[in-house]
Amino acid sequence: KTWIKTNKSFSLIKTLNYKSHLKLKEGKTQGAYDLHSYELIDSGKTKHLLDASKACLWADFDNYGRLVLARGSILYFYQNMTGFIEDKPMLSIDLKLLIEA
C-alpha cells in the first residue's frame, strides 16, 4: 500500500512493507513505524530515499507544508527540497533532551 502527499516543492511517498513486520535497523528491532519506507520526489521527478544516510522512522508534512522527519529521538524540519538535499534543516528538536530535562 502506498500513500502520496504533495506540497509546493516535492511529494512524499510512504510505502507500507507488509513482508517485514519486525526487522532490524542499525542493530535495533523496530515496530510499527518501521513498517514504512519513505521517498521524496522533487519537481524534476528525481527520487530521494529518506533512509539513504540515516534510518527514517517517520515522515510527513506539518500544517505549514514543511517536511518533518523523525530519526532516532530527533525531529528535523525542512522548508524545501534544497534544505533536504544539503542536509540543512531549518529546525531540529531532540526529544530525548526534553524528556530528560
Side-chain angles (χ1 to χ4, degrees):
K1 181 142 184 143
T2 300
W3 297 266
I4 299 175
K5 284 186 170 181
T6 302
N7 73 2
K8 297 176 190 174
S9 304
F10 43 85
S11 295
L12 175 65
I13 300 172
K14 176 179 174 180
T15 304
L16 179 60
N17 304 313
Y18 291 108
K19 293 182 180 180
S20 54
H21 291 285
L22 289 176
K23 59 182 178 180
L24 293 178
K25 264 193 186 173
E26 297 179 356
K28 297 179 183 175
T29 301
Q30 302 292 321
Y33 287 115
D34 194 48
L35 294 174
H36 299 94
S37 59
Y38 300 91
E39 295 177 298
L40 289 179
I41 298 180
D42 62 25
S43 57
K45 305 295 181 201
T46 303
K47 287 187 178 184
H48 305 271
L49 297 175
L50 297 185
D51 281 337
S53 61
K54 301 176 201 168
C56 176
L57 300 176
W58 174 85
D60 207 338
F61 295 120
D62 68 7
N63 290 341
Y64 301 103
R66 300 175 296 192
L67 175 66
V68 183
L69 301 181
R71 289 185 167 137
S73 64
I74 303 174
L75 293 177
Y76 297 92
F77 294 80
Y78 296 93
Q79 186 68 42
N80 53 41
M81 196 68 191
T82 303
F84 174 77
I85 291 171
E86 295 176 357
D87 196 23
K88 294 182 180 175
M90 63 175 291
L91 175 66
S92 62
I93 301 170
D94 190 342
L95 299 176
K96 186 175 180 182
L97 296 175
L98 294 174
I99 293 168
E100 293 176 353

